[in-house]
Amino acid sequence: MSSKSSTHFFHNVYVQSTGTCAGPMEHTGPLGSYFDVYFDDLYCHQKTFEKGEREMQKVAINSCLQKAKKKPNDIDLILGGDLTNQITATSYTAAQYPVPYIGIYGACSSSCLSMGVSSMLIESNYFSSVLAFVSSHNATAERQYRYPLEYGIQKPETTTYTATGAGAILLSNEPSDIRIEAVTFGKVIDFKQTNVNDMGRAMAPAAYDTLKQHFTDTNRDFNSYDLIVTGDLSDYGKKILTKMFEEDNMEVNHYNDCGTLLYDIEKQDVFLGGSGCACSALVTYGYIMDQLRQKKWKKVLIVATGALMSPITIMQKESVPSIAHAISLEVCD
Amino acid sequence: MDETKYNKIADSCKPKSGIVKNCINAFIFGGVIAVIGQFLLEFYMELLNVGQEKASAPMIITIVFITCLLTGLGVFDKIAKHAGAGTFIPITGFANAMSSAALESKSEGLIQGIGSNIFKYGGSVITYGIVSSFIFGVIRYVFKI
């Protein structure tokens, strides 16, 4: 399965600061206190949900810059993505900053994809500081991929809830207390899953493949990290992934999923957990970074997962190809 | 790992299906809606002093109105997630499909938003309703039923 190496190691990529902006459900979740700013309404004081999503991105970026005591002019490049058609939320937000911009799309894996690409640009010395940001919004995503917000249907038990929020991370070659140690870019994996209401099952093989590749390339396993999180596999996908590794006689330790960390799936109405770019971004940039800064953990691996279908391909009865990218974060001694 | 083996693993972890609970809920909610409909029907028959056939129109309009109002207030989807087919199959489901689609697309304006999207989910019902009534009309005409 694992062919040639797809893991790249970095020596000069450091995390300067992170910024997060959460929606109402995320704020009331178990990690609510780790987010910089929150809105208690999906409109975020804007006229449309689409504008609301952009507002969240702006708030997250500004919070990130403020913490690093930087101005937009100090940044060499901004790089980001979201889930809306043509990643308009990201591009419209980028228009407000006088900085070169690259838009990326990796569905919900965009958080790790943006960190990975930014790290490579810094490591290669083309840029010295890059701000990566992503967002997802329950209302804009539901509307695009599923049904209207007020549409009354019973969703299947394997459904996930698109997280509302935005996260930004400022990376540069200036040494700091946390660094990006490595990235493993994943392959597109298609196990012919067609249920659009079961993203965990569709994406678990991609997470498995990328993790397996990462372990092979680095000669590590689950015990090499204090925590390994997948992006949004849900409670169901988490179980599948665990079982897949158990079939390989591999011990699964310190493993969790951002979708089940972000919400209390027993009490909050989120079905089997959260999904969306904001799911992994909020958990990583808010909660995990905080724990790393406090040195509670030394080494964490983030494996953001993405489902690469569109509403059209689903209606045409095509399967859901998926992808996962892994980022290894390390506390500097 | 191949797809067959993967599907085996994935099936073994599948979350429990709530089909029995969903069926009971749908039965109760659907029944309650039917009772309300019957009550309204009797009420209009009494009020307007008309037969059952003529009273059914204002009864349906009232149910549709209540559904649209509850959809607009953001309550209907919260009821429907428990009721399932209980609210989806009666006229409430159709009214909600239209009003929720209209609400969602109001940001794109009256013509390209509400006007063209209002039938996005309910449109199939109308299209195939007309197609099937045409077919049955032809059958009735040919066979003089």
Side-chain angles (χ1 to χ4, degrees):
Chain A
M1 132 163 303
S2 307
S3 48
K4 64 179 186 195
S5 167
S6 64
T7 302
H8 301 273
F9 296 95
F10 305 120
H11 306 283
N12 289 311
V13 187
Y14 299 91
V15 178
Q16 299 305 323
S17 65
T18 53
T20 46
C21 177
M25 288 280 271
E26 295 66 28
H27 170 67
T28 48
L31 305 182
S33 58
Y34 291 97
F35 309 132
D36 301 336
V37 185
Y38 77 94
F39 286 102
D40 49 17
D41 172 75
L42 285 181
Y43 281 103
C44 311
H45 312 311
Q46 303 297 310
K47 280 223 166 96
T48 63
F49 293 131
E50 285 74 14
K51 282 185 178 164
E53 181 166 1
R54 271 135 65 183
E55 181 66 16
M56 293 190 125
Q57 289 185 334
K58 200 174 96 184
V59 168
I61 293 172
N62 290 348
S63 164
C64 180
L65 289 174
Q66 209 174 9
K67 281 196 231 167
K69 298 193 178 63
K70 299 264 187 207
K71 293 200 173 70
N73 283 325
D74 303 330
I75 311 300
D76 296 336
L77 178 82
I78 54 172
L79 190 147
D82 64 88
L83 295 180
T84 58
N85 282 337
Q86 288 83 38
I87 55 166
T88 40
T90 306
S91 302
Y92 279 63
T93 302
Q96 299 179 40
Y97 296 90
V99 182
Y101 156 70
I102 295 175
I104 51 136
Y105 183 80
C108 312
S109 71
S110 296
S111 55
C112 279
L113 180 61
S114 64
M115 276 194 276
V117 173
S118 302
S119 302
M120 299 200 94
L121 294 172
I122 293 168
E123 184 74 11
S124 60
N125 284 324
Y126 283 112
F127 296 90
S128 56
S129 65
V130 180
L131 186 135
F133 68 105
V134 291
S135 74
S136 61
H137 190 293
N138 185 272
T140 62
E142 282 295 311
R143 173 176 189 187
Q144 186 176 305
Y145 288 101
R146 293 176 184 139
Y147 295 109
L149 217 53
E150 301 300 334
Y151 192 46
I153 46 158
Q154 208 162 34
K155 291 177 179 163
E157 50 276 349
T158 49
T159 310
T160 47
Y161 178 89
T162 309
T164 306
I169 184 168
L170 180 60
L171 301 171
S172 85
N173 51 16
E174 266 174 64
S176 75
D177 49 354
I178 302 168
R179 72 183 193 97
I180 297 201
E181 190 252 342
V183 61
T184 304
F185 289 117
K187 303 187 275 285
V188 177
I189 306 288
D190 190 348
F191 267 22
K192 305 290 170 221
Q193 304 297 317
T194 49
N195 186 354
V196 77
N197 288 308
D198 194 349
M199 288 290 112
R201 183 169 175 154
M203 298 190 298
Y208 172 80
D209 188 79
T210 302
L211 266 170
K212 200 92 183 154
Q213 180 79 51
H214 181 81
F215 291 152
T216 310
D217 294 348
T218 57
N219 209 7
R220 296 174 191 164
D221 59 21
F222 278 89
N223 291 318
S224 313
Y225 290 93
D226 296 317
L227 176 73
I228 292 181
V229 285
T230 42
D232 51 0
L233 289 188
S234 81
D235 195 46
Y236 178 33
K238 198 164 91 176
K239 284 180 186 141
I240 300 176
L241 188 71
T242 308
K243 201 147 193 186
M244 285 174 94
F245 277 106
E246 280 169 1
E247 290 274 313
D248 291 347
N249 293 321
M250 227 173 145
E251 204 186 344
V252 180
N253 280 325
H254 322 119
Y255 165 60
N256 215 326
D257 182 69
C258 295
T260 55
L261 284 166
L262 184 61
Y263 303 106
D264 182 340
I265 61 167
E266 300 295 326
K267 289 188 188 134
Q268 287 183 294
D269 192 12
V270 294
F271 307 95
L272 283 188
S275 60
C277 313
C279 185
S280 52
L282 286 174
V283 173
T284 309
Y285 303 162
Y287 174 59
I288 292 173
M289 286 293 175
D290 181 80
Q291 304 293 302
L292 286 171
R293 271 184 216 111
Q294 291 188 34
K295 303 210 176 352
K296 283 188 184 163
W297 295 326
K298 283 267 166 68
K299 235 169 141 45
V300 174
L301 187 72
I302 322 284
V303 189
T305 39
L308 302 172
M309 79 297 178
S310 85
I312 301 283
T313 59
I314 292 303
M315 280 191 268
Q316 291 169 346
K317 306 274 184 291
E318 295 212 46
S319 59
V320 180
S322 57
I323 195 153
H325 303 294
I327 289 274
S328 160
L329 294 165
E330 198 178 76
V331 174
C332 304
D333 293 319
Chain B
M1 187 171 290
D2 61 4
E3 286 153 30
T4 333
K5 194 176 173 201
Y6 177 70
N7 282 328
K8 220 181 219 172
I9 292 177
D11 284 337
S12 71
C13 311
K14 224 176 180 165
K16 263 186 258 158
S17 153
I19 191 159
V20 177
K21 193 180 137 216
N22 291 347
C23 285
I24 295 170
N25 276 351
F27 181 77
I28 295 168
F29 278 95
V32 169
I33 291 171
V35 170
I36 295 170
Q38 187 65 39
F39 172 79
L40 287 168
L41 193 71
E42 305 273 347
F43 171 75
Y44 284 120
M45 279 164 73
E46 195 74 23
L47 184 79
L48 306 171
N49 200 16
V50 289
Q52 191 171 325
E53 212 165 299
K54 279 196 171 160
S56 65
M59 179 270 285
I60 288 170
I61 291 167
T62 313
I63 299 259
V64 167
F65 174 78
I66 295 169
T67 305
C68 293
L69 190 70
L70 291 177
T71 303
L73 293 172
V75 181
F76 188 85
D77 61 321
K78 293 189 176 68
I79 303 171
K81 79 176 175 214
H82 300 293
T87 46
F88 191 73
I89 301 295
I91 192 85
T92 46
F94 185 69
N96 166 255
M98 291 191 58
S99 50
S100 63
L103 263 175
E104 192 96 329
S105 45
K106 71 172 192 287
S107 56
E108 286 86 68
L110 285 171
I111 307 296
Q112 292 193 321
I114 297 174
S116 50
N117 284 309
I118 194 164
F119 290 110
K120 200 172 175 185
Y121 301 95
S124 290
V125 180
I126 297 182
T127 307
Y128 293 106
I130 293 169
V131 170
S132 48
S133 50
F134 171 78
I135 293 168
F136 285 111
V138 169
I139 292 171
R140 278 189 70 168
Y141 180 79
V142 171
F143 294 100
K144 305 268 184 292
I145 302 168

